[in-house]
Amino acid sequence: MANFFTAPSVTAIRGRLLTFTKTPAGLGDRDSYRYLDDGLLLIRDGRIAAVGPADEVMPRLPPDTTVEHYPDGLILPGFIDTHIHFPQTQVIASYGAQLLDWLEKYTFVAEQKYADAGLAEINARFFFDELLRNGTTTAMIYGSVHPQSVEAIFAESARRGTAMIAGKAMMDRNAPVALRDTANSSYRDSKALIERWHGKSRQRYAVTPRFAITSSEAQLQAAGSLLNDYPDVYLQTHLSENLAEIAEVRRLFPGSRSYTDVYDRFGLLGPRSLFGHCLHLNEGEIQRLSESGSVAAFCPTSNLFIGSGLFDWAKLADPRRPVRLSLATDVGGGTSYSLLRTMGEAYKVLQLQCQSLPALTAFHQATRGNAEALGMEGEIGSLEVGRTADLTILDVKATPAMRHRHEACNGDLEEELFILMTMGDDRAVRATYIQGKCQHQRVEQTS
Ligand code: GUN
Ligand code: ZN
């Protein structure tokens, strides 16, 4: 498959650089990040070729290198969203229903439109514009049941040069007929998409059984076969989001010990498997997620909006049997494309449980941490030589209220990050770069 994108051969970006080197141990862990007040990134063929203080790297720039300078801009690796639904751009902000009703009343209605490849193509442009406006440069994306929805995602991603993971939803029961495939057709269509896109340009495939309720045993088996046949593809699904959902899974799979066990029995757990929500797991389920290296995706705006529950970060991260964690928007159950907003809501969810989320931990998670959750830390998530130059440039003074709050900040980086995650959203994203090329520049207000 053609990669339509060409990165500029050499370019440089100057500003305040922030990148994480390890998981922060907590508040004030200065060893977990590298911050340069006046830093410079030299980018060659889309990758970071040099990084350091501007006065050191500047003399090494080839003659005539364009330097894009953001004197106040905070330059970070692009945000990574580990769970988002492409066909739900017009489901976001749908009123007054909990999960199973929300799916039936809004989601399953909206997703039927994606049978139309032309509509999928147009909405893919909107979807990518929105990701980039919010500083998100990589996402793990659910398509609709229609393979053409995933074709639209990958084609748009290849055109923009982004690294995306996506898969067609497999769903062969408990959904409107127009949204149902079969175990066989879902295997065939997923396989064709894998062959066509997985590993092409920067695209990767995720086998996507929507959740246990909408898949028969035969279909979950087909999902397991795909993972066997293509060991380097991902798996994404939903797990333990809502109490009525869990009761229904118990009814549909009486032979399984738990919701997690339903997936486990079909070989769907593992280090490349991401499970959205994970709110009501029992100890045995947590144990299995931990020992299999599976990843739980924390989707705070969605969990609050659909009224599903509070993600227990401390319990899942317990070092005695830690589950790998990630942070995600889950649009359109989630209410914002912004990882900044998502961090802010994550903080509040943890506050409600007397837990804490230091800004360093939140920003680490949305960048390097989520890259690790996807096994992509060699490519994205940090500002290191050899990494792809997917960047987001933030502005802590984006609104009058943020500027005013920042005046009381005394130059403390963690406090600045906390203002950004509490008050920031797409307005705080000054620019977004893919492979060193600016693909979003905020329209400046004239006042
Ligand atoms: N469970 C199954 N499908 C979905 C979905 O589209 N969104 C959420 N939040 N949960 C789900
Ligand atoms: Zn979801």
Side-chain angles (χ1 to χ4, degrees):
M1 192 54 45
N3 179 4
F4 311 107
F5 178 86
T6 41
S9 56
V10 181
T11 185
I13 301 173
R14 179 174 179 181
R16 302 164 60 216
L17 302 186
L18 174 64
T19 187
F20 290 88
T21 51
K22 60 179 179 185
T23 307
L27 207 61
D29 181 3
R30 286 173 187 266
D31 291 337
S32 66
Y33 64 89
R34 184 166 185 228
Y35 171 70
L36 294 172
D37 202 37
D38 183 12
L40 192 73
L41 291 167
L42 169 63
I43 299 158
R44 184 170 284 127
D45 298 327
R47 286 174 191 266
I48 298 171
V51 52
D55 58 357
E56 283 176 25
V57 180
M58 202 70 90
R60 291 161 50 196
L61 297 186
D64 302 327
T65 305
T66 308
V67 179
E68 294 174 71
H69 193 185
Y70 296 89
D72 285 342
L74 188 60
I75 303 173
L76 291 132
F79 292 136
I80 300 164
D81 186 348
T82 62
H83 183 130
I84 185 165
H85 296 261
F86 166 59
Q88 294 182 14
T89 51
Q90 293 179 322
V91 175
I92 189 169
S94 291
Y95 178 77
Q98 302 235 334
L99 179 65
L100 299 179
D101 293 334
W102 175 85
L103 284 170
E104 207 169 295
K105 192 166 166 191
Y106 303 115
T107 311
F108 289 164
V109 177
E111 293 198 6
Q112 293 185 38
K113 293 185 195 165
Y114 286 76
D116 177 346
L119 175 133
E121 218 173 282
I122 291 165
N123 276 346
R125 269 176 249 147
F126 169 80
F127 185 74
F128 276 75
D129 282 346
E130 200 55 27
L131 292 181
L132 295 173
R133 260 172 27 74
N134 282 281
T136 298
T137 51
T138 287
M140 189 165 190
I141 308 168
Y142 286 68
S144 67
V145 71
H146 318 95
Q148 52 270 40
S149 71
V150 175
E151 180 66 28
I153 293 166
F154 283 140
E156 189 61 20
S157 182
R159 197 172 73 75
R160 307 217 187 202
T162 47
M164 295 289 164
I165 305 169
K168 122 184 176 72
M170 302 167 76
M171 41 199 296
D172 66 352
R173 63 169 168 171
N174 297 318
V177 174
L179 279 188
R180 277 190 230 158
D181 53 13
T182 66
N184 282 339
S185 75
S186 67
Y187 179 88
R188 209 176 44 240
D189 289 344
S190 303
K191 182 181 165 77
L193 285 164
I194 293 168
E195 301 267 341
R196 188 165 155 76
W197 285 106
H198 184 66
K200 306 286 161 57
S201 65
R202 304 180 70 197
Q203 316 316 318
R204 288 137 166 113
Y205 197 81
V207 173
T208 308
R210 181 179 203 118
F211 67 155
I213 291 179
T214 47
S215 285
S216 64
E217 301 222 346
Q219 184 162 65
L220 293 175
Q221 182 132 35
S225 300
L226 286 163
L227 296 186
N228 263 326
D229 298 347
Y230 300 95
D232 62 343
V233 300
Y234 292 87
L235 177 119
Q236 60 181 347
T237 189
H238 297 85
L239 171 62
S240 198
E241 178 175 3
N242 163 289
L243 297 177
E245 170 208 24
I246 296 166
E248 184 62 5
V249 171
R250 195 171 299 128
R251 192 182 72 77
L252 290 169
F253 297 91
S256 290
R257 276 199 307 273
S258 65
Y259 196 163
T260 302
D261 188 49
V262 171
Y263 296 136
D264 205 5
R265 277 176 38 226
F266 294 99
L268 305 187
L269 272 53
R272 300 173 83 77
S273 298
L274 276 88
F275 294 94
H277 307 289
C278 297
L279 298 180
H280 311 285
L281 301 169
N282 66 38
E283 186 53 37
E285 294 181 278
I286 297 174
Q287 194 95 37
R288 273 303 293 145
L289 290 177
S290 174
E291 61 196 26
S292 62
S294 301
V295 178
F298 178 14
C299 309
T301 72
S302 171
N303 297 341
L304 293 171
F305 183 76
I306 311 185
S308 302
L310 302 178
F311 185 87
D312 193 338
W313 180 300
K315 187 170 174 189
L316 289 169
D318 187 332
R320 285 169 296 183
R321 43 118 191 81
V323 176
R324 296 168 65 215
L325 303 182
S326 73
L327 182 67
T329 65
D330 192 28
V331 164
T335 51
S336 172
Y337 294 83
S338 168
L339 259 308
L340 291 173
R341 280 237 173 160
T342 305
M343 292 180 218
E345 297 306 289
Y347 175 83
K348 295 175 196 169
V349 165
L350 298 188
Q351 277 281 72
L352 281 169
Q353 301 171 92
C354 297
Q355 297 178 28
S356 171
L357 182 65
L360 290 179
T361 306
F363 275 81
H364 165 269
Q365 191 63 60
T367 56
R368 189 189 180 99
N370 275 359
E372 284 173 353
L374 297 173
M376 290 175 73
E377 65 275 15
E379 177 179 344
I380 54 171
S382 53
L383 306 179
E384 288 171 33
V385 171
R387 302 293 186 274
T388 304
D390 295 343
L391 313 169
T392 180
I393 302 180
L394 300 181
D395 172 14
V396 73
K397 300 173 191 162
T399 67
M402 290 173 78
R403 177 183 291 273
H404 182 70
R405 170 65 182 85
H406 185 257
E407 280 165 11
C409 181
N410 293 330
D412 181 71
L413 178 66
E414 269 192 75
E415 196 176 344
E416 177 177 343
L417 294 175
F418 193 62
I419 295 169
L420 276 163
M421 69 185 248
T422 304
M423 303 177 79
D425 51 29
D426 54 318
R427 294 168 297 178
V429 176
R430 183 101 157 261
T432 307
Y433 284 72
I434 301 296
Q435 297 188 47
K437 185 171 169 182
C438 185
Q439 291 210 16
H440 163 68
Q441 190 88 37
R442 189 181 62 191
V443 177
E444 297 304 326
Q445 308 284 343
T446 47
S447 57

